[in-house]
Amino acid sequence: MKKPCYLFVVGGVMSGVGKGTAVAALGQTLKARGFTITALKIDPYVNVDAGTMNPLEHGEVFVTKDGDETDQDIGTYERFLGLEITKINYMTTGRVYQAVIDRERALGYGGKCVEVVPHVPEEVIRRIEAATKLAKAEIAIIEIGGTVGEYQNILFLEAARMMQVRHRGRVKIILVSYLPVPGSIGEMKTKPTQTAVRTLNATGLSPDFVVARGPVSIDRPRQQKIADFCQVPWDHIIAAPDVKSIYDVPELFEKQNFSKKVLTSLKLPLRPLAKPLWRSYLKQKAAASGTVVVGVVGKYFSTGDFILSDVYLSVIEAIKHAAVANGVGLELRWLNPEAYEKSSGAINELKEVDALIVPGGFGNRGVEGKLKAIRFARENKLPFLGLCYGMQAAVIEFSRNVAKLKFANTTEIMPNTPQPVIDLLAGQHSNLQNGRLGGTLRLGEYPCELSPNSLAAKLYGTNKIKERHRHRYEFNVDYADKLQGVGMVLSGTSPDGKLVEIIELPEHPFFIGVQFHPEFLSKPLAPHPLFNGLITAAKKTSQSR
Ligand code: GLN
């Protein structure tokens, strides 16, 4: 096989403008041209993984098959590239330093003085090359989080510079930069991007391509301006205006021959574009008729005066995929559980939704409000899907209001509750007592067996599934008989029967809670069966109004 090529994607001007989407969309178009692709994410944080970061600061924690707690961009790569990405494709400053220090303690540097440069970038390169080899990738796309000029990503840029020297001609740099159009001027400004390029130049790198993000398309004169000032050919400046859906981006790139230009710059053959998947998805999406309203109850939506839906990114994507598969338009509503705690009338807003999702979460805040929402869904036959904490909350709600266990709770909130219907997983006591909290949840893919004839088995079309997990607490089987006696069905368990993974209420048209995170497995053209089922049920609710 020819030696692999590497594309580094870095940010300029500001973060959060879609580097992850650019990586995924470019990767998808290269894949459609028959190249084997892998994608890596570098987070400059000192945290060893994303599991210990507050989602309000960092966004969703995406869990890989092999149990790594990573950045939401890894999820975007999986969805666009149809890959299962593993640990080796995600790194943080903390993880890299930890590996260097561990190797030093094992005399792995043979008595050398271990220095920040070159040993830290060397470790970064080792990981990039190992991930590329593992994926047998012809092209690896590596996203460096944040923006150039931030002190904390300097060692990652140094790794890119070193690789450019070592793998001559096989390493290219793509700068994703933002071009504002200030309202008072009405003109797209290139200066911030020019400054970002200068800053990048100071690290010894020069962009081969610039992805020009902005509210509108960059025009030819401004492409020329960047070309003149920044040493990038004008036709290597790719317009990336805001679009309605991230699934429009591959087509946007392809129209500008981005993948061809990248392949030419890498001296790779121009293989023809084979049936691009995104076109079938967009076609299906365009054919949708009618609308379902899906409510998502979560406490991580508001940050100051702003609403942030990134925390639930995979859940939202999974709902969208299912809506497209069901041929129906979608209106998402972010619902704040704390509002249901403060005012008794607030819950009535659920009368206007066609389905309810309570996604994962941690801690006390908003839980009583979530319980009220779940009760409303149960009593009013509103289709309901509970994910992880949402499933645990559904068990608590049912225990309190149907099984009449007044004090039912999770020991996460009330460690001494006399009715711990949700309790710590076996083996987790010592982690909690010793403060071993990072990376110690039950993480990654586990098998689950479904009861024949259950709603779950019907939706999945099989009795054996595998799903990804991220939790420390679980259904307490001491309460299994009691809850089953009043109508709850435990329809999915671990193969040894010890862990309850799915609960459902057969008296209800669609009420299901799962201990895992199905949202991580949904793909645009392969929606997840649980979300698919929820949207099918939501369509019925909407039609019966
Ligand atoms: N806080 C719960 C637990 O640790 C649920 C976690 C989640 O929703 N991901 O078990």
Side-chain angles (χ1 to χ4, degrees):
M1 197 179 97
K2 207 174 164 298
K3 288 183 179 159
C5 294
Y6 303 91
L7 300 171
F8 281 90
V9 175
V10 300
V13 181
M14 63 190 202
S15 66
V17 297
K19 280 196 302 295
T21 306
V23 168
L26 176 62
Q28 198 178 41
T29 58
L30 291 166
K31 189 177 171 184
R33 291 191 178 277
F35 287 88
T36 313
I37 304 293
T38 192
L40 290 88
K41 173 75 197 257
I42 295 176
D43 258 341
Y45 307 105
V46 177
N47 303 60
V48 170
D49 56 45
T52 55
M53 297 183 216
N54 182 338
L56 269 179
E57 284 189 32
H58 178 261
E60 174 186 82
V61 176
F62 186 84
V63 180
T64 60
K65 179 183 171 154
D66 61 345
D68 200 12
E69 295 174 285
T70 70
D71 183 78
Q72 64 190 34
D73 285 326
I74 295 281
T76 307
Y77 307 161
E78 287 206 348
R79 284 187 282 273
F80 272 75
L81 301 174
L83 296 176
E84 277 185 334
I85 288 175
T86 54
K87 267 191 178 92
I88 187 77
N89 285 43
Y90 179 64
M91 67 183 110
T92 62
T93 296
R95 183 169 292 189
V96 171
Y97 269 90
Q98 197 171 52
V100 171
I101 292 168
D102 287 349
R103 183 168 303 126
E104 183 276 328
R105 292 288 81 187
L107 277 181
Y109 290 97
K112 274 212 169 97
C113 294
V114 181
E115 302 193 70
V116 169
V117 179
H119 295 108
V120 173
E122 290 278 12
E123 174 62 22
V124 174
I125 295 171
R126 196 189 65 74
R127 284 165 178 263
I128 292 171
E129 291 179 347
T132 309
K133 196 166 168 201
L134 185 74
K136 297 193 177 65
E138 296 170 278
I139 305 172
I141 314 181
I142 306 111
E143 177 186 347
I144 302 182
T147 48
V148 295
E150 282 174 44
Y151 183 77
Q152 50 182 356
N153 56 26
I154 207 88
L155 290 168
F156 300 110
L157 296 170
E158 178 66 0
R161 192 196 59 74
M162 285 164 71
M163 284 183 79
Q164 220 167 28
V165 180
R166 286 181 195 180
H167 306 306
R168 227 168 241 216
R170 289 192 283 121
V171 178
K172 300 288 167 191
I173 311 293
I174 300 170
L175 176 73
V176 179
S177 190
Y178 193 76
L179 290 101
V181 182
S184 53
I185 310 173
E187 182 200 343
M188 179 176 262
K189 303 304 281 180
T190 63
K191 195 76 81 192
T193 297
Q194 294 178 38
T195 306
V197 173
R198 293 269 151 76
T199 311
L200 184 63
N201 291 156
T203 67
L205 295 167
S206 186
D208 297 286
F209 292 88
V210 174
V211 174
R213 285 282 297 115
V216 293
S217 254
I218 186 168
D219 61 357
R220 182 68 177 81
R222 279 156 196 81
Q223 279 175 317
Q224 194 58 48
K225 211 172 199 175
I226 296 178
D228 291 341
F229 289 110
C230 304
Q231 297 270 87
V232 193
W234 74 267
D235 60 341
H236 279 200
I237 296 160
I238 308 297
D242 290 342
V243 281
K244 264 216 193 103
S245 150
I246 53 169
Y247 300 107
D248 292 326
V249 180
E251 190 63 28
L252 179 80
F253 282 177
E254 222 19 55
K255 278 200 181 125
Q256 300 172 74
N257 292 318
F258 191 13
S259 65
K260 276 193 195 167
K261 290 172 187 170
V262 167
L263 292 171
T264 307
S265 80
L266 291 167
K267 299 197 171 58
L268 289 171
L270 293 182
R271 299 177 195 155
L273 192 72
K275 256 223 236 127
L277 288 182
W278 68 81
R279 284 192 191 147
S280 325
Y281 181 74
L282 294 176
K283 214 167 128 193
Q284 265 188 35
K285 191 166 162 251
S289 70
T291 304
V292 290
V293 183
V294 179
V296 180
V297 186
K299 70 171 176 180
Y300 297 117
F301 282 128
S302 50
T303 145
D305 289 342
F306 299 93
I307 295 284
L308 183 88
S309 55
D310 260 14
V311 178
Y312 304 105
L313 187 70
S314 294
V315 174
I316 291 165
E317 291 307 309
I319 302 169
K320 287 183 186 165
H321 303 159
V324 169
N326 273 277
V328 68
L330 176 67
E331 185 188 327
L332 279 168
R333 294 216 182 139
W334 318 134
L335 308 173
N336 177 3
E338 287 167 278
Y340 307 149
E341 294 169 7
K342 287 186 198 127
S343 118
S344 58
I347 200 77
N348 286 322
E349 67 181 356
L350 295 186
K351 287 184 180 151
E352 286 162 25
V353 307
D354 301 319
L356 188 74
I357 293 184
V358 178
F362 291 84
N364 208 346
R365 187 162 65 84
V367 168
E368 291 301 320
K370 287 183 190 174
L371 295 178
K372 280 194 177 162
I374 295 169
R375 180 173 195 171
F376 182 97
R378 182 176 55 76
E379 291 179 344
N380 293 284
K381 310 265 180 228
L382 179 64
F384 167 79
L385 175 60
L387 309 171
C388 203
Y389 213 22
M391 173 265 204
Q392 297 175 356
V395 172
I396 297 169
E397 190 280 318
F398 188 82
S399 304
R400 286 190 195 169
N401 300 318
V402 181
K404 303 294 173 207
L405 300 167
K406 231 170 68 189
F407 300 104
N409 215 328
T410 163
T411 52
E412 177 173 353
I413 296 177
M414 197 178 280
N416 299 321
T417 174
Q419 288 156 347
V421 291
I422 303 291
D423 199 3
L424 270 179
L425 277 155
Q428 287 287 354
H429 285 277
S430 70
N431 284 336
L432 272 195
Q433 269 157 14
N434 299 309
R436 281 194 304 263
L437 299 175
T440 58
L441 297 167
R442 179 172 178 240
L443 291 167
E445 185 183 275
Y446 287 92
C448 169
E449 290 183 4
L450 310 180
S451 324
N453 305 320
S454 60
L455 173 63
K458 230 184 289 159
L459 292 170
Y460 278 97
T462 170
N463 291 343
K464 283 186 197 301
I465 58 164
K466 285 180 184 160
E467 290 280 0
R468 296 186 194 169
H469 296 249
R470 180 174 185 245
H471 60 118
R472 205 181 296 282
Y473 297 81
E474 60 150 351
F475 184 101
N476 181 350
V477 286
D478 292 349
Y479 290 87
D481 289 345
K482 177 102 193 164
L483 298 183
Q484 282 171 311
V486 285
M488 179 173 275
V489 166
L490 313 180
S491 60
T493 60
S494 55
D496 63 7
K498 286 189 179 154
L499 301 178
V500 174
E501 310 277 37
I502 309 180
I503 60 111
E504 47 190 82
L505 300 179
E507 295 296 308
H508 188 288
F510 192 102
F511 191 105
I512 187 161
V514 295
Q515 183 54 78
F516 42 83
H517 292 272
E519 66 271 24
F520 294 147
L521 298 187
S522 178
K523 303 274 187 308
L525 284 171
H528 192 284
L530 295 175
F531 286 89
N532 224 356
L534 181 78
I535 300 297
T536 309
K539 264 167 86 176
K540 284 194 198 129
T541 322
S542 133
Q543 281 154 9
S544 66
R545 265 181 215 288

